[in-house]
Amino acid sequence: MDIQEVRSLIKIIPDFPQKGILFQDIFPIFRNPKAVETLITHITDHIVSNIKEKIDVVVGLEARGFLFGPIVALRLNASFAPVRKRGKLPGNTITAEYQKEYGVDVFEMQDDAIKQNQNVIIIDDLIATGGTASAAGELVKKFGGNILEYIFLIELVELDGCRKLKSPVYSIFKS
Ligand SMILES: O=P(O)(O)OC[C@H]1O[C@H](OP(=O)(O)OP(=O)(O)O)[C@H](O)[C@@H]1O
Ligand SMILES: Nc1ncnc2[nH]cnc12
């Protein structure tokens, strides 16, 4: 399977979770192991050929960033750190509030998830307005992490969310 066939599995659901939103459903990809293999290999090949530094930590954003972040981390021999919605992580956490395409939310990370000067990539399924990714970036920077790249499966180009991000972005599919 090639990466364009993976794209063809993404389903557009109108008016979810709110009227006016064209929701991009990536779960059909996960019904097909060959599609997951193609996607993960595409991401890791991109990283290995474009980023020269060793990646120390892959940060995945709740919830759909958890689907590929840990697999990519494993292939890179890096650690995985979750960014979660408020109240889900035990122990000491740091917090950032943000606005996204359809609402407001609060993100948290555990305060021992990233060490000063570690090389980090941030992974999520989709960038829309960029509020989510930008809040995750703020948290990583509070720890002194060095964000080498943001990686998204889908970028909603019209919403221009990448303008909020201060590190390079790689989006596999632009929509
Ligand atoms: O660029 P933005 O406008 O900020 O939106 C993008 C975010 O919205 C979705 O997550 P959602 O908050 O719906 O959470 P979920 O993955 O837990 O369903 C998506 O997975 C991104 O994380
Ligand atoms: N249109 C969309 N589809 C899927 N996830 C989203 N998160 C924000 N906007 C989205």
Side-chain angles (χ1 to χ4, degrees), residues 101-159:
E101 190 183 14
Y102 39 73
V104 176
D105 241 315
V106 178
F107 260 167
E108 289 181 345
M109 282 188 93
Q110 289 170 313
D111 68 357
D112 51 2
I114 296 172
K115 295 181 188 67
Q116 187 84 26
N117 291 325
Q118 279 193 310
N119 288 331
V120 174
I121 56 173
I122 297 179
I123 295 198
D124 203 1
D125 65 324
L126 179 142
I127 179 163
T129 63
T132 303
S134 153
E138 267 176 47
L139 291 176
V140 170
K141 281 188 197 137
K142 279 188 191 162
F143 292 115
N146 175 28
I147 304 170
L148 297 183
E149 191 163 63
Y150 285 92
I151 298 180
F152 303 103
L153 184 50
I154 306 161
E155 174 183 339
L156 303 185
V157 176
E158 270 189 15
L159 295 176

Side-chain angles (χ1 to χ4, degrees), residues 16 21-25 64 101-102 125-126 128 156 159:
F16 181 86
I21 302 289
L22 284 178
F23 190 84
Q24 309 247 354
D25 182 16
R64 285 166 268 154
E101 190 183 14
Y102 39 73
D125 65 324
L126 179 142
L156 303 185
L159 295 176

